[in-house]
């Protein structure tokens, strides 16, 4: 699952549905903003993260045969994102989002020690850019709140623009109270071809003022405990690393799109500073679901890649900082 695009629209869906059951538009808006600040670091106004993993091996497969047995070293990832509400009206909201990811690592063939045939050494790393505009519209259907969301985005790298994409979702709220929210919907995309529609299920419940459960399927699930300014979360989320790159291999496009989808069971600690600033540390493991090199149009990314990528489960450490404009 592409975290930067898909999680944004799913999270915006969730924050649009998980709020207090107050009638006042101003109260609803404040509830939405407050819920974003508490539970969704990805859509806070600004985020800056650094992540590292220990050296680990990887395998590249093509046509069922192993073509490279390599090892990653000096692995560092830096991610910055900004999400700004452009328009907040009674039934309509408009958000703008921008992201920059930088992937730094060395890759060598373990058999001969040479530089990787695919991950050629790049002193500037692999940089990925993405920007999007997302609109949410709140209405009713069969007496239930209905949230419609559409997002237009484009990505690229240091050599130019990559690909445009459209994302759409509709979600119906079946239960909404100060302590519980449950909703079901569908998510679709214009880019991928084999799985164009994905079901969405969101559930949030506050057991007491300190303990809550936060589930957004298929992207994340957490049990949260908060005491004063300290919050601990245990759970797992789907994540994705992706960037454009040039390859020196035969039978592979000169410019390809590398995508690696993982599931990350983790423990998260957040220190909340005056409801605006958050210091965040997380650690856990990253288990590969699928990965490989695809064409730049990314058609078939949910199918067989030009080169299949494999790696063992690896531990990771992630530290970061968030700022949210609204309380």
């Amino acid at each position: 699952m592409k975290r930067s695009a898909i999680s944004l629209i799913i999270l915006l869906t969730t924050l649009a549905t998980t709020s207090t059951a107050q009638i006042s538009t101003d109260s609803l808006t404040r509830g939405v903003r407050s819920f974003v600040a508490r539970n969704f670091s990805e859509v806070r106004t600004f985020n800056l993260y650094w992540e590292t993993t220990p050296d680990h091996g990887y395998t590249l497969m093509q046509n069922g045969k192993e073509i490279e047995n390599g090892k990653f070293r000096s692995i560092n990832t830096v991610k910055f994102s900004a999400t700004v509400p452009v328009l907040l009206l009674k039934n309509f909201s408009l958000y703008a989002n921008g992201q920059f990811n930088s992937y730094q690592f060395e890759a060598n063939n373990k058999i001969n020690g040479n530089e990787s045939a695919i991950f050629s050494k790049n002193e500037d790393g692999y940089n990925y850019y993405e920007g999007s505009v997302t609109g949410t519209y709140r209405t009713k259907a069969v007496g239930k709140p209905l949230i419609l969301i559409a997002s237009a985005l484009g990505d690229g790298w240091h050599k130019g623009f990559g690909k445009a994409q459209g994302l759409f979702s509709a979600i119906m709220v079946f239960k909404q109270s100060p302590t519980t929210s449950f909703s079901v919907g569908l998510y679709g995309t214009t880019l991928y071809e084999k799985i164009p529609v994905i079901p969405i299920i969101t559930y949030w419940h506050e057991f007491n003022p300190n303990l809550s459960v936060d589930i957004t399927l298929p992207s994340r699930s957490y049990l949260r405990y908060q005491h004063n300014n300290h919050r601990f979360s245990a759970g797992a989320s789907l994540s994705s690393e992706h960037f454009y790159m040039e390859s020196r291999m035969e039978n592979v496009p000169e410019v390809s799109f590398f995508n690696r989808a993982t599931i990350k069971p983790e423990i998260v600690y957040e220190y909340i500073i005056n409801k605006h600033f958050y210091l965040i540390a997380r650690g856990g493991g990253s288990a590969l679901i699928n990965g490989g090199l695809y064409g730049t149009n990314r058609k078939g990314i949910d199918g067989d890649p030009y080169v299949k990528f494999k790696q063992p489960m690896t531990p990771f450490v992630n530290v970061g900082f968030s700022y949210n404009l609204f309380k």
Side-chain angles (χ1 to χ4, degrees):
M1 175 168 291
K2 187 181 178 190
R3 180 176 179 81
S4 56
I6 296 179
S7 67
L8 174 63
I9 196 166
I10 292 178
L11 292 175
L12 286 174
T13 301
T14 309
L15 69 88
T17 60
T18 312
S19 59
T20 61
Q22 295 169 304
I23 298 176
S24 166
T25 301
D26 292 338
S27 297
L28 176 61
T29 301
R30 288 195 298 270
V32 168
R33 293 172 179 173
S34 177
F35 191 80
V36 171
R38 292 196 311 271
N39 291 344
F40 296 103
S41 62
E42 294 92 335
V43 290
R44 290 174 190 153
T45 309
F46 299 106
N47 291 285
L48 179 63
Y49 298 107
W50 169 77
E51 182 171 306
T52 186
T53 64
D55 298 351
H56 61 270
Y58 67 87
T59 302
L60 301 177
M61 307 285 293
Q62 190 174 49
N63 299 322
K65 298 181 180 179
E66 180 180 307
I67 59 173
E68 182 170 293
N69 186 358
K71 188 171 186 178
F72 287 132
R73 295 182 174 87
S74 303
I75 308 162
N76 293 281
T77 302
V78 176
K79 296 184 178 183
F80 172 78
S81 66
T83 300
V84 180
V86 178
L87 191 62
L88 297 172
L89 301 178
K90 180 179 179 180
N91 294 319
F92 178 78
S93 301
L94 185 67
Y95 298 84
N97 174 268
Q99 301 189 31
F100 167 72
N101 299 342
S102 178
Y103 303 94
Q104 304 279 345
F105 57 83
E106 296 178 5
N108 297 94
N109 191 314
K110 289 195 294 187
I111 296 178
N112 54 31
N114 293 336
E115 190 176 83
S116 168
I118 288 185
F119 302 105
S120 57
K121 187 174 181 180
N122 187 340
E123 294 182 358
D124 296 328
Y126 297 95
N127 295 332
Y128 178 79
Y129 306 87
E130 184 178 278
S132 65
V133 176
T134 299
T136 69
Y137 179 72
R138 295 175 290 275
T139 183
K140 280 192 173 184
V142 296
K144 299 290 185 181
L146 178 66
I147 314 299
L148 303 175
I149 298 182
S151 182
L153 62 92
D155 65 8
W157 59 323
H158 69 282
K159 291 196 174 182
F161 181 79
K163 195 70 178 176
Q165 183 178 358
L167 307 173
F168 309 91
S169 69
I171 190 162
M172 182 169 287
V173 183
F174 289 94
K175 181 177 177 58
Q176 187 175 20
S177 74
T179 59
T180 304
S181 176
F182 174 71
S183 53
V184 176
L186 293 174
Y187 157 85
T189 174
T190 61
L191 190 57
Y192 307 114
E193 55 186 8
K194 289 189 177 180
I195 311 178
V197 178
I198 299 173
I200 301 171
I201 298 175
T202 69
Y203 176 72
W204 173 81
H205 179 70
E206 185 179 78
F207 299 102
N208 58 55
N210 300 111
L211 186 65
S212 64
V213 63
D214 167 21
I215 300 173
T216 303
L217 300 178
S219 68
R220 56 191 287 158
S221 178
Y222 289 97
L223 180 66
R224 304 187 188 279
Y225 175 80
Q226 182 171 338
H227 179 68
N228 295 329
N229 290 348
H230 306 274
R231 185 169 71 165
F232 297 87
S233 302
S237 66
L238 293 179
S239 183
S240 178
E241 309 291 345
H242 39 257
F243 48 80
Y244 294 95
M245 58 180 292
E246 294 177 305
S247 171
R248 298 177 299 173
M249 289 192 63
E250 296 182 359
N251 302 319
V252 175
E254 182 178 353
V255 177
S256 302
F257 184 77
F258 175 76
N259 186 75
R260 174 174 53 188
T262 61
I263 183 169
K264 289 185 171 182
E266 61 181 357
I267 301 293
V268 184
Y269 167 71
E270 296 173 278
Y271 180 66
I272 304 170
I273 307 172
N274 68 23
K275 297 185 179 181
H276 289 287
F277 296 90
Y278 295 72
L279 298 179
I280 306 168
R282 62 181 76 215
S286 179
L288 183 71
I289 299 174
N290 58 62
L293 258 66
Y294 301 84
T296 54
N297 62 5
R298 304 207 289 285
K299 288 290 187 181
I301 198 170
D302 41 10
D304 294 328
Y306 287 103
V307 176
K308 184 175 291 186
F309 173 86
K310 295 183 178 181
Q311 71 173 47
M313 185 170 183
T314 58
F316 72 91
V317 174
N318 182 307
V319 293
F321 162 83
S322 291
Y323 171 77
N324 197 67
L325 182 64
F326 306 107
K327 292 185 179 181

